[in-house]
Amino acid sequence: MSGHLDEIKDAVIDGKHKEIEDLVKAAIEDNVNINEIVNDAMITAMDVVGQKFADKEIFVPEMLVSAVTVKKGLGLIKPLLKGKETEPRGTIIMCTVKGDIHDIGKNLVIMMLEGAGFHVIDLGVDLTVEKLIQEVEKMKPNILGLSALLTTTMPEMKKVIEELKAQELRDRVKVMVGGAPVNAAFAEKIGADAYGKDAVEAVRISRRFVGQTEPFPL
Ligand code: B1M
């Protein structure tokens, strides 16, 4: 691993939010691959942070400072991912489900989708089923993306899908689910259309889905 990647990874683990931007800038200037900065330095660092939290070596405040550090770093990466397409490929609503405020993964997926030319409506975190259904009816997206990082909030994804069915909207929108505790078997069990393992996979799936839904009534 290049020295830059080690430095960025350590800065995230140690929550050095004042230093992260200079470190990421330096890596970009030295032509370090952006995917490596994100995957091999930042995401790997968050896994270390998660393990330290599980082992009770650190607590919520430290985990939060690491999250802030990643967000600042990603802020510099975002403009570099912007795509060249002028016509949006399709519309995607993204959010983290009710009871869950983790948003780094969701934001990363959004950055990649926007870079690939999708119009993404970010509804943020802790989204109620009711609000989501309202937004689907109003914004008529091709795809609804749901993220969850807690095992306790995964059932919210099922609730959303059931409510889409109850409101006769299920055929009009593809549902993609993702987040660390989610897997393909869970996605299938709750009736989602796809499980996105990571941001790259989410883009691949979204490309496949656009144009495959029944249009919303006018
Ligand atoms: Co939380 N937290 N956290 N946390 N946190 C985890 C998830 C945990 C695994 C840590 C641990 O114990 N090892 C654990 C969950 C355990 C479980 O459910 N079994 C946990 C816990 C317990 C908690 C609290 C309950 C702690 C407490 O208060 N006692 C609390 C819950 C708050 C709440 O949500 N109600 C809490 C709080 C927090 C912070 C606020 C401090 C902070 C979040 C800040 C923020 O997001 N703005 C935080 C953090 C940072 C983490 C860890 C360390 C890192 C998460 C992360 O950002 N990963 C996490 C441990 C871990 O995951 N290793 C942990 C990096 C990110 C890029 O990965 O989100 O998986 P990820 O996204 C990936 C893929 O999953 C995928 O693409 C992304 C890029 O590859 N993906 C999708 C994600 N969404 C997708 C959607 C798609 C497709 C792909 O389509 C729609």
Side-chain angles (χ1 to χ4, degrees):
M1 190 189 273
S2 86
H4 285 298
L5 297 182
D6 277 336
E7 283 174 0
I8 293 169
K9 184 177 165 193
D10 290 345
V12 172
I13 294 170
D14 297 336
K16 292 184 177 164
H17 59 96
K18 291 188 179 146
E19 292 164 35
I20 190 73
E21 286 172 329
D22 286 342
L23 293 173
V24 173
K25 265 184 213 156
I28 293 170
E29 276 162 22
D30 276 355
N31 294 316
V32 178
N33 184 293
I34 290 170
N35 290 330
E36 287 180 9
I37 298 177
V38 174
N39 294 320
D40 299 343
M42 294 186 185
I43 296 184
T44 311
M46 290 316 271
D47 286 341
V48 176
V49 170
Q51 192 54 50
K52 281 177 178 266
F53 176 76
D55 294 342
K56 297 193 168 48
E57 275 180 51
I58 60 165
F59 299 93
V60 172
E62 289 95 332
M63 200 155 63
L64 194 53
V65 183
S66 288
V68 168
T69 309
V70 167
K71 282 192 176 185
K72 278 181 143 184
L74 288 177
L76 293 173
I77 305 275
K78 190 175 176 179
L80 305 177
L81 291 175
K82 277 275 169 227
K84 294 190 181 66
E85 284 93 347
T86 45
E87 286 292 314
R89 279 175 179 270
T91 300
I92 306 181
I93 284 186
M94 284 282 295
C95 74
T96 305
V97 296
K98 185 172 168 241
D100 202 324
I101 60 166
H102 295 85
D103 66 357
I104 295 176
K106 167 186 72 67
N107 293 344
L108 202 54
V109 172
I110 291 174
M111 277 166 53
M112 295 290 286
L113 288 169
E114 287 178 341
F118 288 94
H119 172 225
V120 184
I121 299 163
D122 180 8
L123 295 182
V125 298
D126 193 17
L127 248 280
T128 62
V129 177
E130 296 72 27
K131 174 77 180 154
L132 256 176
I133 298 294
Q134 272 174 24
E135 291 296 325
V136 168
E137 280 182 316
K138 194 166 94 191
M139 306 311 297
K140 303 179 177 25
N142 305 85
I143 301 166
L144 173 60
L146 305 172
S147 184
L149 262 285
L150 298 172
T151 45
T152 49
T153 57
M154 285 165 66
E156 286 297 318
M157 294 174 155
K158 184 166 183 250
K159 287 188 196 162
V160 173
I161 291 173
E162 280 168 359
E163 196 53 29
L164 285 171
K165 282 185 195 154
Q167 301 299 325
E168 297 184 359
L169 292 166
R170 184 65 188 92
D171 294 338
R172 309 192 188 284
V173 64
K174 293 283 185 190
V175 179
M176 172 166 61
V177 293
V182 180
N183 58 37
F186 176 77
E188 196 183 335
K189 191 169 135 203
I190 64 170
D193 296 296
Y195 158 64
K197 182 171 70 67
D198 54 30
V200 173
E201 181 86 10
V203 171
R204 208 174 288 142
I205 292 165
S206 302
R207 283 191 173 133
R208 181 156 51 84
F209 280 163
V210 167
Q212 287 186 10
T213 46
E214 284 181 25
F216 281 84
L218 293 171

